[in-house]
Amino acid sequence: MKKLVLTIILGFCAAFTFAQSNPSFSPATFTAEDEVTITLDVTGTGMAGQTDVYLWMFSNDGVGGGKDALTNGQWGSSSEAAKMTRVAGNVFTFKFTGTTLFGQSPAELINFGFLGKSKDGTKQTQDFKPFKFDPLVFTASQFRVFPSKMDFTDMATVYFHQDLATDQNLQRMFDVKVTLTFYSDAIPQTVVATRNALVATKESNVLYSYSFIPERLITLPAGTKLGKFSYQFTGSIKDANGTNVPTSGPVTEVSYTVFN
Amino acid sequence: MKIIKYIVLALCITSIYSCKPEEFGPIGEEENIVKSLQGTWGLTKVTQKDEDAATKGFPYKELDITNVYAYKDLVIALQGDAAGTPTSFIITQGNSPKISDFNTGTWTVDNVKAPTVINLKSGTLTSELTLGSYAELKTGKFYLKKVKKSNGKAIVSYTYQFTKK
């Protein structure tokens, strides 16, 4: 009986541990000029059980202009400056400031990623990426979301600024609609629901928007939380014969913030 | 010359004699803000604010979302006893999105004379709302603000304007 109770308690503890976001950051949101502490639990990775974990970090994954962290050292011999601090068992922390770590300006830094490794590079975790730096300056773009950070219970409004579109089809697009796809916060994130052809509000000749609260659009299964959503503006253009032809913009993903 | 001296002396005596405490009229009874809050209020406007954008001085800080959903369906009844002490509340949501995780319970304020925070409570759950300016309370309007934070930093807020029914 005691074993059964102990097993159940341990099971709950394990489930609770995995339910926490890993890695986590303090503060939860930060610019490239803020000091950030990464907390990484290497349980279940190739580094589980190791006492020394070194970070291999890189900037601007998938967006161009990326660099390796100045603290990385060589793959076969990590720099001591990249060593994480062990706080308990498989849990390690590392403190850094983006601009100092990558030697790049706040305007250059968009996101970063990392993995944990042994000093000699024979063991490693999977990649953890990408994690966005908050911008320090506002940059106008053809697509944006308001507010810039939200959780899945908040009202979100997605915008398409047609006057800022660089693609000719998007510049000419009419009958503008939105496709929204919602993803769970579980790992891996799975699609919870998709809503197509939601008619966008024409706020002006060059601005379209669509506002929504997820639970007003989709039915969330009990206990399901959303981790992110994606949006895509779609519509029509005229071909050479004057016939309407469907066209669409890129898919943009928005991660939900966890408030506390 | 002597006449001038007498005139100056007379002026001084008159000035000093004329100094006396001025009587002010009554300033009126102290306004009981908490009692003024009691009653039935309809939600008339909802504004969403990107606090993070406001902090950074970015454009697109606020958005009026009143008409996106049926927010105006929502009615809140703040009840109190004869002495004006807050007791229970009831939110009738209608087809409006929720503004609190629960629709019935009790309400309290942080300061009876000058409340700045209203706490809605239901069992162990508490929803904290900041009370806006009292300036429009006499004309039948008051404002509640809900702030969502991450590590103590305000990220998003909602300002609800209520009008007395």
Side-chain angles (χ1 to χ4, degrees):
Chain A
M1 186 62 187
K2 269 185 183 174
K3 273 186 181 175
L4 181 65
V5 173
L6 198 62
T7 309
I8 291 169
I9 291 169
L10 282 174
F12 273 114
C13 288
F16 180 75
T17 304
F18 277 104
Q20 306 305 301
S21 86
N22 185 44
S24 63
F25 301 96
S26 178
T29 60
F30 44 83
T31 69
E33 290 190 325
D34 292 331
E35 188 176 76
V36 188
T37 301
I38 300 174
T39 301
L40 176 66
D41 185 347
V42 296
T43 305
T45 73
M47 290 302 292
Q50 299 297 307
T51 52
D52 295 332
V53 175
Y54 293 78
L55 282 185
W56 188 269
M57 303 181 74
F58 43 90
S59 66
N60 295 352
D61 181 67
V63 293
K67 284 186 178 178
D68 283 343
L70 299 173
T71 53
N72 282 358
Q74 300 298 312
W75 180 260
S77 176
S78 282
S79 151
E80 282 304 301
K83 189 175 180 180
M84 299 190 83
T85 304
R86 190 181 188 199
V87 290
N90 280 331
V91 182
F92 296 81
T93 62
F94 185 78
K95 204 175 273 188
F96 76 98
T97 301
T99 47
T100 311
L101 189 78
F102 296 108
Q104 290 178 282
S105 72
E108 290 172 319
L109 284 169
I110 296 163
N111 67 45
F112 73 98
F114 62 88
L115 58 84
K117 63 183 280 287
S118 57
K119 189 173 177 75
D120 62 5
T122 55
K123 293 186 178 72
Q124 69 177 83
T125 67
Q126 72 272 32
D127 280 0
F128 297 98
K129 64 176 186 179
F131 302 103
K132 279 189 175 177
F133 289 109
D134 274 1
L136 281 164
V137 289
F138 178 79
T139 309
S141 63
Q142 58 184 326
F143 303 110
R144 70 178 171 90
V145 63
F146 182 92
S148 52
K149 295 190 189 76
M150 74 210 82
D151 72 14
F152 72 96
T153 64
D154 283 310
M155 170 89 69
T157 304
V158 292
Y159 289 91
F160 168 41
H161 290 258
Q162 197 165 28
D163 53 333
L164 299 176
T166 48
D167 177 83
Q168 200 177 49
N169 283 354
L170 289 177
Q171 290 168 350
R172 295 162 55 202
M173 188 165 75
F174 58 91
D175 260 350
V176 178
K177 295 182 173 65
V178 182
T179 296
L180 295 169
T181 303
F182 298 94
Y183 298 82
S184 71
D185 72 342
I187 298 172
Q189 291 180 318
T190 52
V191 173
V192 174
T194 298
R195 290 290 175 270
N196 294 301
L198 302 161
V199 179
T201 303
K202 189 172 183 177
E203 300 205 12
S204 73
N205 284 338
V206 291
L207 181 63
Y208 295 86
S209 72
Y210 187 81
S211 299
F212 63 95
I213 298 174
E215 65 174 13
R216 291 278 161 148
L217 279 180
I218 61 171
T219 304
L220 277 177
T224 300
K225 289 181 179 174
L226 299 177
K228 67 177 181 182
F229 74 92
S230 68
Y231 65 95
Q232 180 183 34
F233 282 90
T234 61
S236 302
I237 54 167
K238 297 278 185 192
D239 68 7
N241 301 315
T243 310
N244 289 354
V245 179
T247 189
S248 58
V251 175
T252 306
E253 287 193 351
V254 179
S255 293
Y256 284 119
T257 298
V258 178
F259 294 118
N260 48 32
Chain B
M1 197 63 189
K2 269 189 179 177
I3 292 173
I4 294 172
K5 274 185 185 173
Y6 288 133
I7 291 170
V8 170
L9 190 66
L11 280 174
C12 288
I13 291 167
T14 311
S15 303
I16 292 165
Y17 185 73
S18 64
C19 288
K20 57 183 179 182
E22 196 171 343
E23 284 182 13
F24 293 99
I27 56 169
E29 277 184 32
E30 191 178 356
E31 193 180 356
N32 188 333
I33 302 294
V34 178
K35 198 162 187 176
S36 303
L37 288 170
Q38 291 166 18
T40 304
W41 303 83
L43 183 56
T44 43
K45 188 177 179 185
V46 185
T47 309
Q48 186 184 34
K49 185 174 180 182
D50 187 333
E51 297 282 353
D52 192 46
T55 304
K56 291 174 182 166
F58 287 2
Y60 310 121
K61 300 177 186 74
E62 282 192 353
L63 189 64
D64 184 340
I65 57 171
T66 314
N67 296 318
V68 177
Y69 293 113
Y71 278 106
K72 289 180 180 175
D73 276 7
L74 191 139
V75 173
I76 185 168
L78 297 171
Q79 291 152 351
D81 61 19
T85 310
T87 54
S88 58
F89 75 91
I90 300 169
I91 294 174
T92 308
Q93 199 173 316
N95 203 28
S96 164
K98 61 185 178 184
I99 65 164
S100 167
D101 289 334
F102 37 87
N103 286 335
T104 58
T106 57
W107 66 288
T108 56
V109 292
D110 61 331
N111 183 318
V112 178
K113 289 197 169 177
T116 56
V117 172
I118 289 183
N119 286 305
L120 304 180
K121 292 182 181 178
S122 178
T124 55
L125 299 173
T126 301
S127 186
E128 185 180 287
L129 298 162
T130 306
L131 189 61
S133 161
Y134 311 143
E136 292 183 62
L137 202 51
K138 277 189 175 172
T139 56
K141 280 188 171 50
F142 84 100
Y143 299 85
L144 287 177
K145 187 175 180 182
K146 182 164 78 176
V147 182
K148 300 176 92 165
K149 296 178 179 177
S150 180
N151 291 335
K153 184 180 163 190
I155 304 293
V156 183
S157 70
Y158 294 86
T159 300
Y160 304 102
Q161 180 200 63
F162 289 91
T163 304
K164 195 127 192 180
K165 286 251 176 196

